[in-house]
Amino acid sequence: MKKKWILRVLALLLVLTLVPMCAVRSLVFPGAQPGGCSPDTKYGHTEQYTAFTMQDGTVLRGWLFNRGPNAPLVVLYGGNSINAGDFSDYADEDTTRSYLLVNYRGYGSSEGEPSEKDIVADSCAVLDQAKEKLGKPSATTLVGFSIGTGVAMQVAAAKNPDKLVLICPFDSLVNVACDFIPAVPNTVVIDKFISTDYAPKITCDVAILRADQDEIVLPPRTDALRESFNRPVTEKTFHATHNTIFNAEGFHDAFFSELR
């Protein structure tokens, strides 16, 4: 009887732990929820639409704009509710570079469920597969926005690109959460994206593009990340909020000027 009581208590504790963790994960990756981001069919570009199969059999889908074996490659990692196709306008405008836009697990028509570990592993594998398809790009630039900066940081630390561009970046997702809900339990935020752990490992040039009215990633979060690099970081600030930075005055030109 005592043993059964102990097991019931442990089961209850497990439920009380996992429920908020699952709730937090759904907040971290709302784009993986039904209707959370736009469908892939919205963006067209059927000739560039590509499937990438991961080691566990999960199929990810997105777009590879191939501008030739010697063209520079730009890889974009979106925010937590963005379909990668939202960046296709950049690829349309800039025909001098190849562009890789692939949806995270559970986003758009990509299979699976997202997690920090899987998204980072997928992103490294997709980059390798894309380079095989393209030949040898003359340079590679990784671009991340919001939570995508956490992805780009880890891929950059593993794959040594030529340039890293971070749009509205943060030091860690736990600290971002604590800015709004003080003392958030570290165990509840299971996808932590601690970018400051990877900053010292990055050897390429780094640029930060930030919004002066960012209401989601507060200034101390970006400042802490910038200070964690072992190298100079170029920084530009735009008059915008977190989600309007792409439309801010001067952003368009600044974005393209940072690409390799």
Side-chain angles (χ1 to χ4, degrees), residues 200-254:
K201 304 175 184 178
I202 291 173
T203 58
C204 66
D205 291 339
V206 180
I208 289 177
L209 308 180
R210 62 192 297 176
D212 65 354
Q213 297 181 22
D214 199 322
E215 75 287 14
I216 296 175
V217 177
L218 302 185
R221 303 282 64 80
T222 302
D223 293 341
L225 176 63
R226 183 192 64 235
E227 293 164 6
S228 67
F229 286 96
N230 288 334
R231 59 194 303 102
V233 174
T234 301
E235 183 176 271
K236 298 177 182 178
T237 302
F238 301 88
H239 184 55
T241 62
H242 188 79
N243 289 311
T244 64
I245 189 170
F246 293 97
N247 297 320
E249 182 179 355
F251 179 86
H252 174 275
D253 292 343

Side-chain angles (χ1 to χ4, degrees), residues 9-194:
V9 171
L10 290 174
L12 177 60
L13 290 173
L14 181 61
V15 169
L16 292 175
T17 301
L18 290 179
V19 167
M21 287 170 64
C22 293
V24 168
R25 175 160 277 173
S26 68
L27 291 174
V28 172
F29 302 113
Q33 309 306 311
C37 70
S38 301
D40 291 356
T41 52
K42 171 185 175 181
Y43 305 97
H45 297 296
T46 55
E47 292 183 4
Q48 292 81 19
Y49 197 60
T50 307
F52 297 87
T53 302
M54 300 298 96
Q55 190 171 10
D56 64 358
T58 300
V59 177
L60 306 183
R61 296 180 174 88
W63 296 265
L64 178 60
F65 294 78
N66 186 344
R67 293 333 176 357
N70 296 318
L73 170 64
V74 179
V75 188
L76 291 111
Y77 304 105
N80 64 359
S81 60
I82 289 178
N83 187 304
D86 287 330
F87 295 118
S88 60
D89 286 348
Y90 290 111
D92 284 338
E93 180 177 351
D94 176 19
T95 59
T96 66
R97 299 179 179 89
S98 297
Y99 279 77
L100 177 63
L101 319 171
V102 176
N103 278 312
Y104 304 138
R105 290 182 179 226
Y107 284 61
S109 296
S110 288
E111 299 174 353
E113 297 181 0
S115 70
E116 176 183 3
K117 179 180 178 181
D118 286 334
I119 286 176
V120 171
D122 291 344
S123 297
C124 289
V126 167
L127 179 58
D128 289 342
Q129 291 185 34
K131 285 186 173 182
E132 288 182 9
K133 292 176 182 288
L134 295 171
K136 293 183 178 180
S138 59
T140 300
T141 301
L142 305 184
V143 181
F145 166 62
S146 193
I147 202 168
T149 65
V151 180
M153 286 286 295
Q154 295 187 47
V155 177
K159 295 298 181 179
N160 299 314
D162 299 280
K163 183 71 178 282
L164 176 63
V165 181
L166 304 171
I167 306 170
C168 299
F170 52 82
D171 53 349
S172 86
L173 203 56
V174 175
N175 289 341
V176 171
C178 285
D179 282 339
F180 299 93
I181 306 175
V184 171
N186 195 52
T187 55
V188 171
V189 184
I190 49 180
D191 302 288
K192 296 177 173 56
F193 287 102
I194 306 176

